[in-house]
Amino acid sequence: MRIIGKECLKILDLRRISVIVIFTVMYYLLFIHLDTYPHIPTLGGMTETSYVPELVRDVGPSLSRDQWYLLEEKRRTLLAEINEILSSHPALAEAGIDTYDKWKEAYHALFLASETSTLATHVMSLYTQEGPAQRCLSLLSYIDDLNEIYEMGFLFSVPPSEAASIAEEHWSYASPLYKKVIPLFCQRDLSMLPLTISTLLWTDMRHMIILLIICSLILLVPCQIQERLCEVIPLYAATHTGRRIFTKQFAAQLLSCGIVTLVQLLIYVGIYISKGLAVYWNCPAWPAEFNTFWLDITFGTYMAIYLSMMWLFVMGNTVLAYCIGRCSGNYIVGIAISIPIGGIVCFLGRKLLFAPFAFTEYVRVPLWEPLGLLLWLALTGLLLKTVLKRDKRRNL
């Protein structure tokens, strides 16, 4: 254990950690959307990202059809507030825009006409400028979207006796697997989790896997190359006792990379909480716009499983980083090998870990992401076993 501790200190060199910190900060500023929340581009404007947490706190994390009156009560409260704001606005009241329906009609007409008059400015500013009016209008717009889902009648809280016939009617073109399980999904409650929040997590994780893979290579590959350049590896390989250190070296690399990767994921969770998004953790994991999600869990549990899968995938990459460092005679060769291999691993990670457990009507293999992750860990584990077995046998 003492040797593993010293190897960890050697790997967690201040210069490498400094490079990782600087690279992580720059990467966050360039690619991680959570850093700019709630000012992220969405089709629904600011609705889903700015004010829905209030709705979740008031009506709960999920709704069944029997509980729909809670949303209707919230809508009536918001209507009273926005109508009062519109009535007290001199320019809008003079133009006869004193109710939400009239404002909505004027907003769409002026928006489509690209109107730039003073009246258009007043109408648009209520929705685009932060304040009580924007809050009411955004929440009313989102509730109207949920009402459209409610009126469809076949996406949530469907009675078991009707679920099978509804699935056959609306998803007759889907795969056999999808048609088999969609009746169960249709019986679930409506989640108050906006699709924007799920998309934010999925998009960030597609970028996060690249960050974690690059950081693991920065942390691990130079360490092994330095050992080779200092002629420490041939010294270890010369004796039976020395060759046993190779296993401890890899254990130290796995531990060091695990700690750094865990810290980076926890930083993301910390930013997530600081943005006020923890309110969604009690919502069912499927977004409001669709319920085709394999696991009946909360979004907080889903996020924990998701980040754990990310961590395990990077641990598999630790084996490749170890092998690259052992095979590289100098830093230039190490960089030349790391770039293509790292690119392939990033591609695999993005494909494997994008929106796990959610599926479309064309997916034919259930829960394929955990199976793919297990295959990845099995292959990297087999590679590690081969390399370490070779190290134990060779004698210089």
Side-chain angles (χ1 to χ4, degrees):
M1 196 64 192
R2 181 172 55 87
I3 295 176
I4 293 177
K6 288 186 177 182
E7 288 293 330
C8 286
L9 292 177
K10 189 191 304 182
I11 295 167
L12 298 173
D13 182 75
L14 183 60
R15 292 167 296 181
R16 297 192 195 102
I17 297 298
S18 300
V19 171
I20 289 174
V21 170
I22 294 171
F23 179 74
T24 300
V25 172
M26 294 176 63
Y27 196 90
Y28 261 80
L29 295 176
L30 289 173
F31 300 109
I32 302 299
H33 291 155
L34 180 63
D35 188 58
T36 59
Y37 176 88
H39 305 293
I40 58 175
T42 62
L43 295 177
M46 302 179 185
T47 306
E48 299 86 351
T49 56
S50 299
Y51 300 108
V52 177
E54 176 188 336
L55 199 61
V56 175
R57 287 189 289 266
D58 288 347
V59 305
S62 63
L63 283 178
S64 65
R65 293 188 180 274
D66 295 336
Q67 299 171 317
W68 204 254
Y69 68 92
L70 296 173
L71 201 63
E72 292 173 343
E73 290 176 357
K74 180 66 176 180
R75 190 177 191 278
R76 284 194 291 269
T77 303
L78 293 168
L79 276 176
E81 292 181 31
I82 193 60
N83 288 342
E84 183 179 350
I85 293 173
L86 292 171
S87 300
S88 61
H89 195 292
L92 296 180
E94 184 179 351
I97 304 174
D98 55 356
T99 64
Y100 171 66
D101 290 334
K102 292 179 180 179
W103 175 88
K104 191 174 181 180
E105 183 180 346
Y107 178 85
H108 288 298
L110 294 170
F111 180 79
L112 292 174
S114 300
E115 189 67 49
T116 57
S117 63
T118 303
L119 177 62
T121 302
H122 288 304
V123 171
M124 300 290 182
S125 64
L126 290 180
Y127 188 70
T128 57
Q129 294 180 7
E130 187 175 351
Q134 186 195 61
R135 165 185 159 273
C136 292
L137 293 171
S138 296
L139 284 176
L140 283 169
S141 176
Y142 186 66
I143 290 174
D144 289 344
D145 292 340
L146 294 180
N147 276 324
E148 291 182 7
I149 298 174
Y150 175 79
E151 290 170 359
M152 288 181 185
F154 61 85
L155 288 180
F156 72 101
S157 292
V158 176
S161 59
E162 301 176 16
S165 60
I166 288 177
E168 184 64 31
E169 178 182 355
H170 293 280
W171 288 280
S172 57
Y173 58 91
S175 66
L177 174 65
Y178 192 92
K179 288 190 287 188
K180 182 179 180 180
V181 296
I182 195 64
L184 299 177
F185 296 157
C186 291
Q187 295 175 42
R188 293 171 170 171
D189 291 345
L190 178 75
S191 174
M192 295 303 293
L193 175 70
L195 179 59
T196 305
I197 300 302
S198 296
T199 304
L200 175 67
L201 178 64
W202 294 335
T203 304
D204 277 351
M205 290 302 102
R206 282 174 67 89
H207 294 300
M208 181 66 75
I209 191 64
I210 297 176
L211 172 65
L212 297 178
I213 293 300
I214 293 175
C215 288
S216 66
L217 293 174
I218 292 174
L219 181 69
L220 302 179
V221 173
C223 185
Q224 285 296 314
I225 294 176
Q226 185 180 9
E227 295 279 274
R228 177 178 288 276
L229 293 176
C230 294
E231 298 186 354
V232 174
I233 291 179
L235 183 63
Y236 288 158
T239 64
H240 175 72
T241 303
R243 289 192 292 274
R244 294 171 59 187
I245 296 179
F246 289 134
T247 303
K248 296 181 179 180
Q249 271 192 333
F250 175 77
Q253 290 211 358
L254 191 67
L255 180 61
S256 301
C257 185
I259 292 172
V260 171
T261 302
L262 181 62
V263 168
Q264 289 179 306
L265 292 175
L266 290 177
I267 289 173
Y268 183 87
V269 174
I271 298 174
Y272 196 92
I273 295 173
S274 70
K275 297 289 184 176
L277 297 176
V279 69
Y280 294 116
W281 283 353
N282 289 327
C283 295
W286 51 90
E289 285 80 351
F290 68 90
N291 57 4
T292 52
F293 193 85
W294 275 112
L295 304 182
D296 189 1
I297 56 177
T298 64
F299 187 66
T301 304
Y302 172 65
M303 191 171 173
I305 294 174
Y306 198 174
L307 298 184
S308 299
M309 291 175 66
M310 297 277 292
W311 187 85
L312 288 172
F313 187 85
V314 177
M315 293 303 96
N317 183 66
T318 303
V319 177
L320 299 182
Y322 177 78
C323 294
I324 291 172
R326 291 293 304 275
C327 297
S328 303
N330 54 61
Y331 293 109
I332 302 242
V333 174
I335 294 172
I337 298 176
S338 297
I339 290 175
I341 293 181
I344 294 172
V345 174
C346 288
F347 175 80
L348 292 175
R350 284 166 63 91
K351 288 293 184 182
L352 178 64
L353 298 175
F354 178 65
F357 310 134
F359 74 105
T360 68
E361 53 268 33
Y362 304 108
V363 172
R364 298 178 181 275
V365 180
L367 299 174
W368 69 273
E369 297 94 348
L371 297 176
L373 180 61
L374 288 175
L375 178 61
W376 165 255
L377 293 176
L379 292 175
T380 53
L382 181 61
L383 175 62
L384 174 65
K385 183 178 180 180
T386 302
V387 172
L388 293 180
K389 187 175 181 180
R390 172 180 172 272
D391 286 337
K392 287 182 179 180
R393 288 183 175 180
R394 71 176 182 172
N395 192 359
L396 298 182

mmCIF file of all heavy atoms in Angstrom, residues 348-384:
data_model
loop_
_atom_site.group_PDB
_atom_site.id
_atom_site.type_symbol
_atom_site.label_atom_id
_atom_site.label_comp_id
_atom_site.label_asym_id
_atom_site.label_seq_id
_atom_site.Cartn_x
_atom_site.Cartn_y
_atom_site.Cartn_z
ATOM 1 N N LEU A 348 -16.635 6.330 -29.141
ATOM 2 C CA LEU A 348 -17.381 5.226 -28.539
ATOM 3 C C LEU A 348 -18.145 5.697 -27.309
ATOM 4 O O LEU A 348 -19.307 5.320 -27.096
ATOM 5 C CB LEU A 348 -16.423 4.095 -28.161
ATOM 6 C CG LEU A 348 -15.754 3.354 -29.317
ATOM 7 C CD1 LEU A 348 -14.745 2.341 -28.782
ATOM 8 C CD2 LEU A 348 -16.788 2.662 -30.193
ATOM 9 N N GLY A 349 -17.495 6.529 -26.483
ATOM 10 C CA GLY A 349 -18.149 7.026 -25.279
ATOM 11 C C GLY A 349 -19.352 7.886 -25.582
ATOM 12 O O GLY A 349 -20.395 7.785 -24.922
ATOM 13 N N ARG A 350 -19.250 8.752 -26.599
ATOM 14 C CA ARG A 350 -20.369 9.616 -26.977
ATOM 15 C C ARG A 350 -21.544 8.797 -27.497
ATOM 16 O O ARG A 350 -22.702 9.125 -27.234
ATOM 17 C CB ARG A 350 -19.916 10.626 -28.036
ATOM 18 C CG ARG A 350 -19.080 11.774 -27.476
ATOM 19 C CD ARG A 350 -18.389 12.535 -28.596
ATOM 20 N NE ARG A 350 -19.352 13.168 -29.481
ATOM 21 C CZ ARG A 350 -19.823 14.413 -29.335
ATOM 22 N NH1 ARG A 350 -19.414 15.147 -28.315
ATOM 23 N NH2 ARG A 350 -20.688 14.926 -30.191
ATOM 24 N N LYS A 351 -21.249 7.736 -28.242
ATOM 25 C CA LYS A 351 -22.326 6.886 -28.759
ATOM 26 C C LYS A 351 -22.976 6.073 -27.645
ATOM 27 O O LYS A 351 -24.201 5.911 -27.598
ATOM 28 C CB LYS A 351 -21.771 5.932 -29.821
ATOM 29 C CG LYS A 351 -21.399 6.602 -31.133
ATOM 30 C CD LYS A 351 -22.625 7.138 -31.850
ATOM 31 C CE LYS A 351 -22.269 7.720 -33.202
ATOM 32 N NZ LYS A 351 -23.455 8.293 -33.886
ATOM 33 N N LEU A 352 -22.152 5.569 -26.745
ATOM 34 C CA LEU A 352 -22.645 4.677 -25.707
ATOM 35 C C LEU A 352 -23.412 5.428 -24.626
ATOM 36 O O LEU A 352 -24.441 4.936 -24.125
ATOM 37 C CB LEU A 352 -21.470 3.923 -25.075
ATOM 38 C CG LEU A 352 -21.789 2.969 -23.927
ATOM 39 C CD1 LEU A 352 -22.661 1.826 -24.420
ATOM 40 C CD2 LEU A 352 -20.501 2.433 -23.311
ATOM 41 N N LEU A 353 -22.942 6.617 -24.263
ATOM 42 C CA LEU A 353 -23.467 7.306 -23.093
ATOM 43 C C LEU A 353 -24.304 8.529 -23.436
ATOM 44 O O LEU A 353 -24.444 9.432 -22.609
ATOM 45 C CB LEU A 353 -22.303 7.711 -22.180
ATOM 46 C CG LEU A 353 -21.495 6.536 -21.631
ATOM 47 C CD1 LEU A 353 -20.301 7.020 -20.847
ATOM 48 C CD2 LEU A 353 -22.370 5.636 -20.773
ATOM 49 N N PHE A 354 -24.864 8.573 -24.635
ATOM 50 C CA PHE A 354 -25.787 9.653 -24.952
ATOM 51 C C PHE A 354 -27.222 9.179 -24.702
ATOM 52 O O PHE A 354 -27.688 8.225 -25.293
ATOM 53 C CB PHE A 354 -25.645 10.088 -26.412
ATOM 54 C CG PHE A 354 -26.633 11.173 -26.790
ATOM 55 C CD1 PHE A 354 -26.550 12.419 -26.206
ATOM 56 C CD2 PHE A 354 -27.648 10.932 -27.685
ATOM 57 C CE1 PHE A 354 -27.443 13.423 -26.515
ATOM 58 C CE2 PHE A 354 -28.555 11.919 -28.018
ATOM 59 C CZ PHE A 354 -28.446 13.173 -27.426
ATOM 60 N N ALA A 355 -27.877 9.838 -23.742
ATOM 61 C CA ALA A 355 -29.267 9.525 -23.389
ATOM 62 C C ALA A 355 -29.473 8.049 -23.058
ATOM 63 O O ALA A 355 -30.340 7.387 -23.638
ATOM 64 C CB ALA A 355 -30.205 9.943 -24.512
ATOM 65 N N PRO A 356 -28.691 7.483 -22.123
ATOM 66 C CA PRO A 356 -28.904 6.064 -21.787
ATOM 67 C C PRO A 356 -30.279 5.827 -21.171
ATOM 68 O O PRO A 356 -30.822 6.686 -20.482
ATOM 69 C CB PRO A 356 -27.785 5.786 -20.775
ATOM 70 C CG PRO A 356 -27.394 7.108 -20.241
ATOM 71 C CD PRO A 356 -27.625 8.086 -21.333
ATOM 72 N N PHE A 357 -30.823 4.654 -21.448
ATOM 73 C CA PHE A 357 -32.101 4.162 -20.944
ATOM 74 C C PHE A 357 -33.319 4.797 -21.611
ATOM 75 O O PHE A 357 -34.440 4.383 -21.343
ATOM 76 C CB PHE A 357 -32.219 4.327 -19.419
ATOM 77 C CG PHE A 357 -31.050 3.791 -18.669
ATOM 78 C CD1 PHE A 357 -30.456 4.526 -17.653
ATOM 79 C CD2 PHE A 357 -30.517 2.559 -18.976
ATOM 80 C CE1 PHE A 357 -29.369 4.027 -16.951
ATOM 81 C CE2 PHE A 357 -29.437 2.047 -18.281
ATOM 82 C CZ PHE A 357 -28.860 2.796 -17.270
ATOM 83 N N ALA A 358 -33.122 5.813 -22.437
ATOM 84 C CA ALA A 358 -34.226 6.332 -23.237
ATOM 85 C C ALA A 358 -34.135 5.682 -24.615
ATOM 86 O O ALA A 358 -33.045 5.385 -25.094
ATOM 87 C CB ALA A 358 -34.125 7.855 -23.358
ATOM 88 N N PHE A 359 -35.288 5.441 -25.256
ATOM 89 C CA PHE A 359 -35.218 4.781 -26.556
ATOM 90 C C PHE A 359 -36.376 5.234 -27.437
ATOM 91 O O PHE A 359 -37.395 5.735 -26.951
ATOM 92 C CB PHE A 359 -35.205 3.267 -26.402
ATOM 93 C CG PHE A 359 -36.536 2.664 -26.034
ATOM 94 C CD1 PHE A 359 -37.286 1.985 -26.981
ATOM 95 C CD2 PHE A 359 -37.022 2.775 -24.751
ATOM 96 C CE1 PHE A 359 -38.506 1.421 -26.646
ATOM 97 C CE2 PHE A 359 -38.234 2.207 -24.408
ATOM 98 C CZ PHE A 359 -38.983 1.527 -25.356
ATOM 99 N N THR A 360 -36.180 5.081 -28.718
ATOM 100 C CA THR A 360 -37.201 5.446 -29.691
ATOM 101 C C THR A 360 -37.960 4.202 -30.126
ATOM 102 O O THR A 360 -37.641 3.075 -29.719
ATOM 103 C CB THR A 360 -36.569 6.101 -30.925
ATOM 104 O OG1 THR A 360 -35.794 5.114 -31.628
ATOM 105 C CG2 THR A 360 -35.660 7.255 -30.532
ATOM 106 N N GLU A 361 -38.950 4.399 -30.981
ATOM 107 C CA GLU A 361 -39.762 3.285 -31.445
ATOM 108 C C GLU A 361 -39.016 2.344 -32.377
ATOM 109 O O GLU A 361 -39.558 1.311 -32.781
ATOM 110 C CB GLU A 361 -41.016 3.804 -32.141
ATOM 111 C CG GLU A 361 -40.743 4.792 -33.237
ATOM 112 C CD GLU A 361 -40.778 6.228 -32.736
ATOM 113 O OE1 GLU A 361 -40.394 6.470 -31.585
ATOM 114 O OE2 GLU A 361 -41.181 7.106 -33.497
ATOM 115 N N TYR A 362 -37.750 2.681 -32.710
ATOM 116 C CA TYR A 362 -36.983 1.843 -33.630
ATOM 117 C C TYR A 362 -35.931 0.982 -32.911
ATOM 118 O O TYR A 362 -35.283 0.158 -33.540
ATOM 119 C CB TYR A 362 -36.304 2.710 -34.689
ATOM 120 C CG TYR A 362 -37.277 3.581 -35.444
ATOM 121 C CD1 TYR A 362 -37.327 4.943 -35.238
ATOM 122 C CD2 TYR A 362 -38.177 3.022 -36.353
ATOM 123 C CE1 TYR A 362 -38.238 5.744 -35.917
ATOM 124 C CE2 TYR A 362 -39.091 3.809 -37.042
ATOM 125 C CZ TYR A 362 -39.114 5.169 -36.818
ATOM 126 O OH TYR A 362 -40.023 5.948 -37.484
ATOM 127 N N VAL A 363 -35.744 1.205 -31.621
ATOM 128 C CA VAL A 363 -34.747 0.451 -30.870
ATOM 129 C C VAL A 363 -35.233 -0.982 -30.653
ATOM 130 O O VAL A 363 -36.388 -1.210 -30.309
ATOM 131 C CB VAL A 363 -34.464 1.131 -29.521
ATOM 132 C CG1 VAL A 363 -33.580 0.251 -28.649
ATOM 133 C CG2 VAL A 363 -33.793 2.476 -29.746
ATOM 134 N N ARG A 364 -34.342 -1.939 -30.849
ATOM 135 C CA ARG A 364 -34.715 -3.346 -30.748
ATOM 136 C C ARG A 364 -34.012 -4.084 -29.609
ATOM 137 O O ARG A 364 -34.353 -5.226 -29.307
ATOM 138 C CB ARG A 364 -34.416 -4.061 -32.072
ATOM 139 C CG ARG A 364 -35.223 -3.499 -33.239
ATOM 140 C CD ARG A 364 -34.899 -4.176 -34.546
ATOM 141 N NE ARG A 364 -35.672 -3.608 -35.640
ATOM 142 C CZ ARG A 364 -36.905 -3.967 -35.977
ATOM 143 N NH1 ARG A 364 -37.504 -4.914 -35.293
ATOM 144 N NH2 ARG A 364 -37.547 -3.400 -36.970
ATOM 145 N N VAL A 365 -33.016 -3.461 -28.996
ATOM 146 C CA VAL A 365 -32.287 -4.114 -27.900
ATOM 147 C C VAL A 365 -32.521 -3.321 -26.623
ATOM 148 O O VAL A 365 -32.098 -2.167 -26.523
ATOM 149 C CB VAL A 365 -30.780 -4.196 -28.190
ATOM 150 C CG1 VAL A 365 -30.063 -4.882 -27.038
ATOM 151 C CG2 VAL A 365 -30.524 -4.928 -29.500
ATOM 152 N N PRO A 366 -33.198 -3.876 -25.630
ATOM 153 C CA PRO A 366 -33.450 -3.130 -24.392
ATOM 154 C C PRO A 366 -32.187 -2.982 -23.557
ATOM 155 O O PRO A 366 -31.365 -3.895 -23.476
ATOM 156 C CB PRO A 366 -34.489 -3.997 -23.672
ATOM 157 C CG PRO A 366 -34.231 -5.378 -24.176
ATOM 158 C CD PRO A 366 -33.775 -5.215 -25.607
ATOM 159 N N LEU A 367 -32.034 -1.818 -22.949
ATOM 160 C CA LEU A 367 -30.930 -1.560 -22.024
ATOM 161 C C LEU A 367 -29.582 -1.943 -22.618
ATOM 162 O O LEU A 367 -28.750 -2.584 -21.963
ATOM 163 C CB LEU A 367 -31.165 -2.311 -20.714
ATOM 164 C CG LEU A 367 -32.440 -1.935 -19.938
ATOM 165 C CD1 LEU A 367 -32.624 -2.853 -18.748
ATOM 166 C CD2 LEU A 367 -32.404 -0.491 -19.497
ATOM 167 N N TRP A 368 -29.347 -1.519 -23.853
ATOM 168 C CA TRP A 368 -28.099 -1.896 -24.507
ATOM 169 C C TRP A 368 -26.904 -1.114 -23.955
ATOM 170 O O TRP A 368 -25.758 -1.580 -24.063
ATOM 171 C CB TRP A 368 -28.211 -1.663 -26.019
ATOM 172 C CG TRP A 368 -28.280 -0.223 -26.421
ATOM 173 C CD1 TRP A 368 -29.388 0.556 -26.521
ATOM 174 C CD2 TRP A 368 -27.176 0.613 -26.770
ATOM 175 N NE1 TRP A 368 -29.058 1.832 -26.905
ATOM 176 C CE2 TRP A 368 -27.707 1.890 -27.076
ATOM 177 C CE3 TRP A 368 -25.795 0.407 -26.860
ATOM 178 C CZ2 TRP A 368 -26.900 2.960 -27.442
ATOM 179 C CZ3 TRP A 368 -24.986 1.472 -27.231
ATOM 180 C CH2 TRP A 368 -25.534 2.737 -27.524
ATOM 181 N N GLU A 369 -27.137 0.038 -23.338
ATOM 182 C CA GLU A 369 -26.008 0.837 -22.836
ATOM 183 C C GLU A 369 -25.235 0.133 -21.712
ATOM 184 O O GLU A 369 -24.000 0.077 -21.767
ATOM 185 C CB GLU A 369 -26.497 2.210 -22.356
ATOM 186 C CG GLU A 369 -27.102 3.076 -23.439
ATOM 187 C CD GLU A 369 -28.617 2.935 -23.513
ATOM 188 O OE1 GLU A 369 -29.142 1.996 -22.868
ATOM 189 O OE2 GLU A 369 -29.263 3.743 -24.189
ATOM 190 N N PRO A 370 -25.908 -0.426 -20.692
ATOM 191 C CA PRO A 370 -25.140 -1.185 -19.690
ATOM 192 C C PRO A 370 -24.427 -2.388 -20.273
ATOM 193 O O PRO A 370 -23.310 -2.715 -19.856
ATOM 194 C CB PRO A 370 -26.216 -1.610 -18.675
ATOM 195 C CG PRO A 370 -27.315 -0.628 -18.844
ATOM 196 C CD PRO A 370 -27.323 -0.285 -20.292
ATOM 197 N N LEU A 371 -25.049 -3.046 -21.240
ATOM 198 C CA LEU A 371 -24.391 -4.181 -21.887
ATOM 199 C C LEU A 371 -23.140 -3.730 -22.630
ATOM 200 O O LEU A 371 -22.091 -4.386 -22.576
ATOM 201 C CB LEU A 371 -25.365 -4.856 -22.860
ATOM 202 C CG LEU A 371 -26.626 -5.475 -22.240
ATOM 203 C CD1 LEU A 371 -27.537 -6.027 -23.330
ATOM 204 C CD2 LEU A 371 -26.252 -6.569 -21.252
ATOM 205 N N GLY A 372 -23.248 -2.580 -23.328
ATOM 206 C CA GLY A 372 -22.075 -2.046 -24.022
ATOM 207 C C GLY A 372 -20.976 -1.658 -23.051
ATOM 208 O O GLY A 372 -19.786 -1.875 -23.319
ATOM 209 N N LEU A 373 -21.359 -1.081 -21.902
ATOM 210 C CA LEU A 373 -20.370 -0.692 -20.902
ATOM 211 C C LEU A 373 -19.675 -1.919 -20.322
ATOM 212 O O LEU A 373 -18.444 -1.913 -20.123
ATOM 213 C CB LEU A 373 -21.051 0.115 -19.801
ATOM 214 C CG LEU A 373 -20.155 0.612 -18.667
ATOM 215 C CD1 LEU A 373 -19.067 1.537 -19.201
ATOM 216 C CD2 LEU A 373 -20.982 1.326 -17.594
ATOM 217 N N LEU A 374 -20.441 -2.962 -20.048
ATOM 218 C CA LEU A 374 -19.836 -4.201 -19.533
ATOM 219 C C LEU A 374 -18.878 -4.814 -20.554
ATOM 220 O O LEU A 374 -17.805 -5.315 -20.189
ATOM 221 C CB LEU A 374 -20.932 -5.199 -19.175
ATOM 222 C CG LEU A 374 -21.759 -4.896 -17.925
ATOM 223 C CD1 LEU A 374 -22.888 -5.905 -17.768
ATOM 224 C CD2 LEU A 374 -20.872 -4.894 -16.686
ATOM 225 N N LEU A 375 -19.253 -4.764 -21.833
ATOM 226 C CA LEU A 375 -18.366 -5.275 -22.874
ATOM 227 C C LEU A 375 -17.082 -4.459 -22.929
ATOM 228 O O LEU A 375 -15.982 -5.011 -23.069
ATOM 229 C CB LEU A 375 -19.084 -5.232 -24.226
ATOM 230 C CG LEU A 375 -18.271 -5.688 -25.448
ATOM 231 C CD1 LEU A 375 -17.853 -7.146 -25.279
ATOM 232 C CD2 LEU A 375 -19.078 -5.509 -26.730
ATOM 233 N N TRP A 376 -17.207 -3.128 -22.809
ATOM 234 C CA TRP A 376 -16.032 -2.246 -22.813
ATOM 235 C C TRP A 376 -15.099 -2.575 -21.648
ATOM 236 O O TRP A 376 -13.876 -2.699 -21.827
ATOM 237 C CB TRP A 376 -16.497 -0.800 -22.753
ATOM 238 C CG TRP A 376 -15.449 0.213 -22.391
ATOM 239 C CD1 TRP A 376 -15.304 0.859 -21.199
ATOM 240 C CD2 TRP A 376 -14.383 0.701 -23.227
ATOM 241 N NE1 TRP A 376 -14.231 1.712 -21.231
ATOM 242 C CE2 TRP A 376 -13.646 1.628 -22.467
ATOM 243 C CE3 TRP A 376 -13.999 0.436 -24.534
ATOM 244 C CZ2 TRP A 376 -12.546 2.306 -22.980
ATOM 245 C CZ3 TRP A 376 -12.895 1.104 -25.046
ATOM 246 C CH2 TRP A 376 -12.181 2.029 -24.283
ATOM 247 N N LEU A 377 -15.666 -2.749 -20.452
ATOM 248 C CA LEU A 377 -14.848 -3.060 -19.280
ATOM 249 C C LEU A 377 -14.230 -4.453 -19.399
ATOM 250 O O LEU A 377 -13.087 -4.662 -18.966
ATOM 251 C CB LEU A 377 -15.704 -2.970 -18.013
ATOM 252 C CG LEU A 377 -16.209 -1.570 -17.649
ATOM 253 C CD1 LEU A 377 -17.127 -1.636 -16.441
ATOM 254 C CD2 LEU A 377 -15.034 -0.630 -17.378
ATOM 255 N N ALA A 378 -14.957 -5.389 -19.994
ATOM 256 C CA ALA A 378 -14.417 -6.737 -20.175
ATOM 257 C C ALA A 378 -13.239 -6.732 -21.142
ATOM 258 O O ALA A 378 -12.209 -7.387 -20.893
ATOM 259 C CB ALA A 378 -15.523 -7.674 -20.678
ATOM 260 N N LEU A 379 -13.355 -6.004 -22.241
ATOM 261 C CA LEU A 379 -12.266 -5.938 -23.227
ATOM 262 C C LEU A 379 -11.038 -5.260 -22.649
ATOM 263 O O LEU A 379 -9.910 -5.726 -22.833
ATOM 264 C CB LEU A 379 -12.747 -5.210 -24.478
ATOM 265 C CG LEU A 379 -13.805 -5.938 -25.331
ATOM 266 C CD1 LEU A 379 -14.278 -5.058 -26.475
ATOM 267 C CD2 LEU A 379 -13.238 -7.245 -25.870
ATOM 268 N N THR A 380 -11.238 -4.140 -21.956
ATOM 269 C CA THR A 380 -10.090 -3.443 -21.368
ATOM 270 C C THR A 380 -9.492 -4.273 -20.234
ATOM 271 O O THR A 380 -8.266 -4.273 -20.040
ATOM 272 C CB THR A 380 -10.504 -2.058 -20.855
ATOM 273 O OG1 THR A 380 -11.634 -2.177 -19.975
ATOM 274 C CG2 THR A 380 -10.867 -1.139 -22.016
ATOM 275 N N GLY A 381 -10.344 -4.983 -19.489
ATOM 276 C CA GLY A 381 -9.821 -5.861 -18.443
ATOM 277 C C GLY A 381 -8.996 -6.999 -19.021
ATOM 278 O O GLY A 381 -7.950 -7.373 -18.459
ATOM 279 N N LEU A 382 -9.420 -7.564 -20.147
ATOM 280 C CA LEU A 382 -8.658 -8.618 -20.813
ATOM 281 C C LEU A 382 -7.319 -8.093 -21.308
ATOM 282 O O LEU A 382 -6.282 -8.769 -21.186
ATOM 283 C CB LEU A 382 -9.477 -9.181 -21.976
ATOM 284 C CG LEU A 382 -8.854 -10.326 -22.777
ATOM 285 C CD1 LEU A 382 -8.618 -11.529 -21.871
ATOM 286 C CD2 LEU A 382 -9.740 -10.713 -23.956
ATOM 287 N N LEU A 383 -7.331 -6.864 -21.857
ATOM 288 C CA LEU A 383 -6.082 -6.252 -22.304
ATOM 289 C C LEU A 383 -5.137 -6.038 -21.133
ATOM 290 O O LEU A 383 -3.928 -6.318 -21.228
ATOM 291 C CB LEU A 383 -6.389 -4.927 -22.990
ATOM 292 C CG LEU A 383 -5.188 -4.075 -23.426
ATOM 293 C CD1 LEU A 383 -4.334 -4.822 -24.452
ATOM 294 C CD2 LEU A 383 -5.644 -2.737 -23.982
ATOM 295 N N LEU A 384 -5.671 -5.565 -20.022
ATOM 296 C CA LEU A 384 -4.831 -5.347 -18.835
ATOM 297 C C LEU A 384 -4.228 -6.660 -18.338
ATOM 298 O O LEU A 384 -3.030 -6.716 -18.003
ATOM 299 C CB LEU A 384 -5.675 -4.699 -17.741
ATOM 300 C CG LEU A 384 -4.982 -4.530 -16.390
ATOM 301 C CD1 LEU A 384 -3.822 -3.552 -16.495
ATOM 302 C CD2 LEU A 384 -5.972 -4.062 -15.328
#
